[in-house]
Amino acid sequence: MGMRIRAVLLIGISLVAISGNAVAQSASTAMPSSKTDAANAPTAQATAPRPSRPEIPASDRDIIVTAPLQQSETDVLQGTSVLKGEALTRDLRPSLGEMLSRLPGVSATSFGPSASRPILRGFQGERIRVLTDGIGAIDLSNTSVDHAVVIDPLLAERIEVLRGPSALLFGSSAVGGVVNVIDTRIPRTRPENGYRLNGIATYGSAANERSIAGAADVAVGPYLVLHADGSYLKADDLRIGGYALSPAERAAALSQVGVPQDVAPGEDPIDFAASAAIRGKLPNTAAETWTAGVGASIITDTGQLGVSYSRYDSLYGVPIRYATEVGQAQESPRLDVKQDRVDLRGEVETGGGFLDRIRIRAGHASYRHFELKPSGEIGTAFYSKGTEGRLEFLQADRGGWQGASGVQYFNRSFNIEGVEAFLPRNETNQTGIFTLQQYNAGPFHAAAGARYEWSDQTAKTFGSDPRFFGGKRTFGAFSGSLGVGYGVTDAIRIGLNGSYTERAPSAEELFANGPHAGTQAYELGNPDFRLERSYGIEATLHVHGERVSFDASAYYNRFNNYISEQQVDQGVCEAAAAPSGREVDLPCFQYQQAGASYWGFEGDLSAKLFEVGGTRINADLLGDYVRATIIDRAPVPRIPPLRLLGGLEAQGDKFTARAEVERVFKQDRIADFETPTPGYTLVNASVSLKPFANNSRTSLLLSANNIFDVVARRHSSFLKDFAPLAGRDIRVSLRFGL
């Protein structure tokens, strides 16, 4: 490991030296240019924003940053969604999962309003990557659904979701896709007027949510740009439209009223009647979060180099999984989370030849969170230190052929302390090399990518607990993709992608063996797991005309050794816990490996209907569906059902008014121990105003969400029978920029 770290440091020092030469050359030849953010960022191409979104210049509409190579709009081989501008303000929520849940193919884990992680095409956890400006969040959100993503949505400039084979360039765990949150903490551009100021203030009625965030850039001299940002959010317990418990769980709880309970001295018996009666508010969901960060960049005509430091601090509760039988445990944990993080980003143009530019992105974070008991006492402590770095070499365009290659490194040391530690102390190392090559010839486009990843997971038990495996597992994983696209006309593009993916099991999947208060489950892994392998194919259709835009994907993935977490009989966990003499009083969830298949589709249609007096009337419709099965067993658990969302929007120069209806259908394809989830319909509306003719960056938005106060439960949530989604929520947001 020491040799790997030294190699990464040497690469970083070399690039700093190259950037230093670029600064010196630029100082003697030219003043810095005011390149756009898109020109300086890692780029790839997305499908165009729907016409129902506020219209923006084509130069902004055509650029995204999530994959290494820039392409034209019609060359896209797979679906990419971008959330920015007015849509970003309208969908702003405390968690990324809830914020992105209206995008095609995206759902959320919905483990309370603060810890809701994105789900892409039914994949979650270790099968999607959540990035901040191109590298991982370096937190523990992928290890458990109760752990919040340590990225502040309030400071996001834009969020991009990439699905399909090219997502594998960011790691073998990105088979489901990539979510990249882009902020301005390390400045990419020099402010045109010498300074830049952005801010947002929001109020949401459902949780009495109050938040404010701001970011400022100041140019110092011809090359240096300084940055500072901060945010604060405080929310009370979430308001819901009806009972917290589903009808079946309410009935189960009420059936236990009067049943004798064996209660330890000093403890109160569970009040099953009170649990069944909870309605209107979701207890233990209040939150308070603040962040602060500073950054600096040297920006020249031929490169840039920047660093930043940030602090994240949050205290939030997760919904209670109420006991519905005598003998079950009932916990109400709160999580006290802190992260300190340092980041580096650099880019230098090589001056021509085979390479066009070199990019580096690196980050190091120290993370900890405490799972607190109702008394405030620390029940379990989680500690993690992680480092991730990424170096990319971008080839110049030579007769339609261009490419990007690089290396990526990740290290994480993870330790849990406390009576409910469900993992041994462990360390993960991953080193990957990758390449993406593409060729354009008129209407024809082809792309091929490959990645090889070395990884090892080491459990360091030191004989402290007989439950835990002690030792090291090492894996070598290869992934590859091939795609072709063809422009049938200037407005119509079709594509076909194939991929093969290998993913190493995570430390949690290998080594877990214990009760986890946050998820309120006993979690059990298997140290003998093998590589997870999948074969995938995806067909795409992109239609972009003057009045109509349509993007659709259909996909199929077949897995060997697929790892899933299934609720099983309590006796399985009792046997695993026996060596340490522990009792199992939480539901038993075991990681298992078997064959599996995923197939589904997603589509996004928008059209300009007509225009009246300068006001454009647009309509849009999206839909998505995924069907996932453990071969010869049962459906994969927690898979989102069919969903349709339609909207009607009026756009003027100074206002936008929108109404939308979302229909989520019943999910009755369920795994063992799951329960069916009824469908629901949500109605939302919003009005956005731009009061200043000479300042389009300032806007006031009023929205009403779940207008009819519907009790909605997401099937993808572990807690869907105990924690419905927010009830009626009136939100006001003021965004400003100077």
Side-chain angles (χ1 to χ4, degrees), residues 202-211 234-239 281 287 729:
T202 298
Y203 175 78
S205 66
N208 192 27
E209 173 194 329
R210 298 86 76 196
S211 65
K234 187 175 179 62
D236 300 336
D237 285 343
L238 185 70
R239 183 186 175 279
K281 289 282 187 179
D729 186 21

Side-chain angles (χ1 to χ4, degrees), residues 631-681:
I631 304 300
D632 298 327
R633 293 192 187 179
V636 174
R638 296 174 296 282
I639 294 298
L642 174 66
R643 187 260 303 256
L644 296 174
L645 191 156
L648 191 64
E649 193 163 296
Q651 290 182 352
D653 293 335
K654 293 186 178 182
F655 80 96
T656 301
R658 176 177 175 83
E660 64 182 26
V661 178
E662 180 181 20
R663 174 61 185 173
V664 177
F665 291 81
K666 177 182 179 180
Q667 180 58 287
D668 53 10
R669 287 195 81 247
I670 55 175
D672 294 339
F673 295 91
E674 275 195 301
T675 58
T677 305
Y680 58 87
T681 301

Side-chain angles (χ1 to χ4, degrees), residues 498-517:
S499 64
Y500 171 75
T501 305
E502 294 181 341
R503 182 182 73 87
S506 68
E508 292 73 25
E509 293 166 338
L510 291 169
F511 306 138
N513 187 352
H516 185 187

Side-chain angles (χ1 to χ4, degrees), residues 458-714:
T458 305
K460 304 175 180 180
T461 61
F462 305 117
S464 60
D465 194 317
R467 287 176 298 156
F468 293 134
F469 169 85
K472 182 176 182 178
R473 293 297 313 277
T474 302
F475 302 90
F478 171 79
S479 300
S481 64
L482 177 65
V484 293
Y486 184 76
V488 180
T489 68
D490 290 342
I492 302 174
R493 185 89 189 176
I494 58 175
L496 186 66
N497 304 296
S499 64
Y500 171 75
T501 305
E502 294 181 341
R503 182 182 73 87
S506 68
E508 292 73 25
E509 293 166 338
L510 291 169
F511 306 138
N513 187 352
H516 185 187
T519 59
Q520 297 160 63
Y522 194 102
E523 300 182 12
L524 182 61
N526 186 339
D528 295 324
F529 277 159
R530 295 170 290 174
L531 279 175
E532 182 181 271
R533 295 181 170 90
S534 70
Y535 303 83
I537 189 169
E538 177 182 5
T540 63
L541 171 64
H542 303 282
V543 180
H544 296 285
E546 293 184 1
R547 301 183 65 89
V548 175
S549 177
F550 179 62
D551 299 285
S553 299
Y555 54 90
Y556 175 82
N557 290 87
R558 176 64 182 255
F559 289 84
N560 295 326
N561 305 325
Y562 176 84
I563 300 172
S564 64
E565 191 176 15
Q566 305 271 352
Q567 187 172 357
V568 297
D569 186 80
Q570 292 294 106
V572 176
C573 289
E574 289 171 357
S580 61
R582 290 176 176 267
E583 294 183 0
V584 178
D585 55 4
L586 292 170
C588 179
F589 283 83
Q590 181 185 38
Y591 289 101
Q592 299 178 349
Q593 203 163 43
S597 66
Y598 276 70
W599 65 265
F601 62 83
E602 59 206 26
D604 190 0
L605 170 68
S606 58
K608 179 178 178 180
L609 301 181
F610 54 87
E611 185 170 339
V612 179
T615 299
R616 299 171 298 278
I617 308 300
N618 306 317
D620 58 81
L621 176 68
L622 71 81
D624 48 48
Y625 175 75
V626 59
R627 187 180 181 95
T629 305
I630 305 293
I631 304 300
D632 298 327
R633 293 192 187 179
V636 174
R638 296 174 296 282
I639 294 298
L642 174 66
R643 187 260 303 256
L644 296 174
L645 191 156
L648 191 64
E649 193 163 296
Q651 290 182 352
D653 293 335
K654 293 186 178 182
F655 80 96
T656 301
R658 176 177 175 83
E660 64 182 26
V661 178
E662 180 181 20
R663 174 61 185 173
V664 177
F665 291 81
K666 177 182 179 180
Q667 180 58 287
D668 53 10
R669 287 195 81 247
I670 55 175
D672 294 339
F673 295 91
E674 275 195 301
T675 58
T677 305
Y680 58 87
T681 301
L682 303 180
V683 179
N684 311 311
S686 64
V687 176
S688 176
L689 303 175
K690 294 182 178 179
F692 305 116
N694 59 349
N695 187 350
S696 61
R697 294 166 61 193
T698 297
S699 63
L700 177 65
L701 187 140
L702 173 66
S703 65
N705 304 278
N706 191 4
I707 292 174
F708 297 105
D709 213 20
V710 171
V711 176
R713 302 178 189 273
R714 282 206 180 103

Side-chain angles (χ1 to χ4, degrees), residues 64-387:
I64 68 160
V65 305
T66 302
L69 297 178
Q70 181 176 353
Q71 304 169 359
S72 69
E73 178 179 302
T74 56
D75 284 337
V76 174
L77 288 176
Q78 55 235 337
T80 302
S81 302
V82 180
L83 190 64
K84 64 176 183 177
E86 184 179 302
L88 181 70
T89 304
R90 181 174 61 235
D91 294 342
L92 187 63
R93 299 293 186 276
S95 64
L96 282 178
E98 299 305 315
M99 194 168 175
L100 300 177
S101 61
R102 289 186 175 94
L103 295 179
V106 183
S107 185
T109 56
S110 299
F111 208 88
S114 298
S116 187
R117 200 170 189 264
I119 296 174
L120 307 182
R121 295 181 171 178
F123 295 110
Q124 57 180 293
E126 288 293 335
R127 293 186 187 86
I128 69 170
R129 290 220 66 197
V130 178
L131 311 177
T132 174
D133 200 11
I135 63 171
I138 316 182
D139 57 17
L140 296 179
S141 63
N142 63 322
T143 68
S144 181
V145 289
D146 65 309
H147 300 168
V149 178
V150 181
I151 297 175
D152 188 357
L154 286 169
L155 296 172
E157 185 179 50
R158 55 195 281 140
I159 305 175
E160 300 169 355
V161 180
L162 175 66
R163 298 168 291 267
S166 66
L168 297 175
L169 295 179
F170 295 91
S172 62
S173 60
V175 61
V178 167
V179 174
N180 192 17
V181 181
I182 301 154
D183 59 29
T184 59
R185 186 160 282 159
I186 301 178
R188 291 185 176 87
T189 62
R190 176 184 169 85
E192 291 184 5
N193 300 319
Y195 68 92
R196 184 165 44 216
L197 179 65
N198 294 288
I200 186 169
T202 298
Y203 175 78
S205 66
N208 192 27
E209 173 194 329
R210 298 86 76 196
S211 65
I212 188 169
D217 294 333
V218 178
V220 180
Y223 306 112
L224 180 63
V225 180
L226 302 180
H227 172 92
D229 63 58
S231 70
Y232 178 77
L233 178 146
K234 187 175 179 62
D236 300 336
D237 285 343
L238 185 70
R239 183 186 175 279
I240 54 178
Y243 288 103
L245 273 64
S246 67
E249 296 298 338
R250 288 187 66 235
L254 290 172
S255 72
Q256 301 299 294
V257 175
V259 177
Q261 300 183 46
D262 185 11
V263 180
E267 293 186 2
D268 296 326
I270 293 174
D271 189 339
F272 290 101
S275 297
I278 293 172
R279 64 179 302 169
K281 289 282 187 179
L282 197 58
N284 203 51
T285 53
E288 185 173 15
T289 301
W290 66 267
T291 70
V294 292
S297 286
I298 296 172
I299 303 172
T300 76
D301 284 338
T302 57
Q304 57 181 263
L305 182 67
V307 295
S308 71
Y309 165 77
S310 61
R311 180 71 182 269
Y312 181 99
D313 191 307
S314 182
L315 176 65
Y316 67 91
V318 296
I320 301 167
R321 186 187 185 103
Y322 292 96
T324 56
E325 291 182 16
V326 170
Q328 288 182 345
Q330 178 173 295
E331 309 213 28
S332 53
R334 293 178 299 148
L335 277 71
D336 180 3
V337 180
K338 287 183 174 60
Q339 184 195 67
D340 290 284
R341 176 172 174 140
V342 179
D343 283 273
L344 167 75
R345 186 182 65 233
E347 177 177 314
V348 61
E349 296 179 5
T350 62
F354 179 73
L355 287 181
D356 177 63
R357 61 188 64 207
I358 303 172
R359 294 177 179 146
I360 190 171
R361 182 73 174 90
H364 173 80
S366 178
Y367 170 100
R368 71 102 174 116
H369 82 249
F370 300 144
E371 294 189 352
L372 306 177
K373 297 179 180 180
S375 63
E377 178 186 358
I378 298 174
T380 309
F382 292 69
Y383 300 95
S384 173
K385 288 189 176 181
T387 300

